[in-house]
Amino acid sequence: MSIPPDEDDLHAYVDGRLDDETRKSLERAFAQDPGKAARAQRWLRDARNLRAELDDLPLPPANPALDPAAIRAGLAARARTRWAIAASMVLCLGLGTMGGWQARGWRGGVDASLRAAPMSDAIAAYRLMVVDRSAHIDFTASSVGELQAWLARSVGPGARLPDLASAGFHPVGGRLFATEGGAAAMVLYEDAAKRTLSFYLRPPEMPRQRLPAGKRTDGGLLARYGTLHGLLYAVVGPVESLDENAVAHALDEQT
């Protein structure tokens, strides 16, 4: 306790946080300072009145969100989300760079090795979302029409979702990516067996640039690609799924 007692000492006295020896010492000091003694008594009276009023109030219901364990878990989840966003941004830039180098390969007079691997960004995005599951769908829709509107709004009015219902595949949601040519979108399709195909669409690197229709395999994945309404597309999935006659026929009819 400070000598003479200050307001911190008075607060500790009113709150009952002083040990017996310190409390008695403070009360002896009050005898020498009637003003502080009167202030302490007023504070004691106010504290008693406040406690009496609060005693009649029901306790609020327990809030699980205020549990220290829940708070720590929330902080950890937010940290993981920030890391995931940062990683996604880095990956998107990387995919955009790959797309830019690919686009150079579609022009005449360049290295054939660049032309030999079209739409590598679509295959990389499929691995990211379906194989590794390190990125997730960020747009879901209640109808195919709503998903189609999102695709056209995100990539351009020429964007069209392929109808793979005849092959048993239906769109379930999409995610945006960034490329040097502009926004790219990937829409995931699933069938009743939970097999997954992706439809990846992006603008060309150069205006009016076309990618001849074709297909290629890469590590167990098959990509069928080409140009659709001025946009470059690729449908990616496991070889055994995408090479099925029903899927191939549905794609050939629309592209």
Side-chain angles (χ1 to χ4, degrees), residues 122-131 186 196-198 221 236-238:
I123 294 176
Y126 183 93
R127 287 199 172 100
L128 173 75
M129 293 193 65
V130 181
V131 180
M186 172 179 275
T196 304
L197 302 179
S198 70
L221 297 177
V236 181

Side-chain angles (χ1 to χ4, degrees), residues 1-254:
M1 184 188 70
S2 55
I3 300 297
D6 57 19
E7 290 203 0
D8 288 339
D9 297 324
L10 295 181
H11 282 293
Y13 175 75
V14 171
D15 293 338
R17 292 188 288 108
L18 298 178
D19 56 56
D20 288 343
E21 183 178 348
T22 305
R23 180 178 53 78
K24 291 176 181 178
S25 175
L26 184 60
E27 289 173 346
R28 288 194 295 270
F30 285 159
Q32 307 297 322
D33 191 337
K36 283 189 176 179
R39 185 190 306 176
Q41 290 303 313
R42 286 197 303 272
W43 287 2
L44 276 172
R45 184 171 58 251
D46 291 342
R48 292 192 192 102
N49 292 338
L50 180 60
R51 291 190 188 100
E53 291 180 7
L54 292 178
D55 284 343
D56 295 332
L57 295 177
L59 290 175
N63 187 348
L66 298 180
D67 181 77
I71 293 172
R72 288 193 296 271
L75 292 174
R78 284 194 291 274
R80 288 193 298 270
T81 299
R82 287 193 293 270
W83 277 110
I85 291 172
S88 178
M89 292 176 65
V90 170
L91 178 71
C92 287
L93 291 174
L95 293 178
T97 300
M98 283 192 293
W101 280 106
Q102 286 173 222
R104 296 167 183 260
W106 304 325
R107 300 166 64 183
V110 297
D111 190 325
S113 65
L114 294 177
R115 293 195 298 272
M119 299 304 285
S120 294
D121 49 340
I123 294 176
Y126 183 93
R127 287 199 172 100
L128 173 75
M129 293 193 65
V130 181
V131 180
D132 299 336
R133 297 188 181 276
S134 52
H136 304 283
I137 287 172
D138 60 14
F139 180 83
T140 55
S142 58
S143 67
V144 175
E146 188 178 345
L147 192 57
Q148 170 60 59
W150 168 82
L151 185 67
R153 189 168 60 248
S154 302
V155 184
R160 295 289 185 273
L161 277 175
D163 183 0
L164 303 180
S166 61
F169 285 87
H170 303 276
V172 295
R175 183 182 179 90
L176 291 180
F177 292 91
T179 73
E180 288 186 357
M186 172 179 275
V187 176
L188 296 184
Y189 287 70
E190 286 185 353
D191 67 359
K194 295 299 181 182
R195 295 182 301 174
T196 304
L197 302 179
S198 70
F199 176 66
Y200 183 88
L201 196 64
R202 66 172 172 83
E205 184 68 17
M206 302 293 291
R208 294 183 296 279
Q209 197 167 47
R210 292 185 60 82
L211 174 65
K215 64 180 181 178
R216 70 182 183 89
T217 58
D218 186 332
L221 297 177
L222 175 65
R224 294 173 57 97
Y225 53 80
T227 305
L228 187 63
H229 304 297
L231 298 167
L232 307 184
Y233 78 89
V235 180
V236 181
V239 173
E240 62 275 11
S241 298
L242 196 51
D243 232 8
E244 289 182 352
N245 289 336
V247 176
H249 182 69
L251 288 173
D252 289 341
E253 279 192 334
Q254 298 169 72

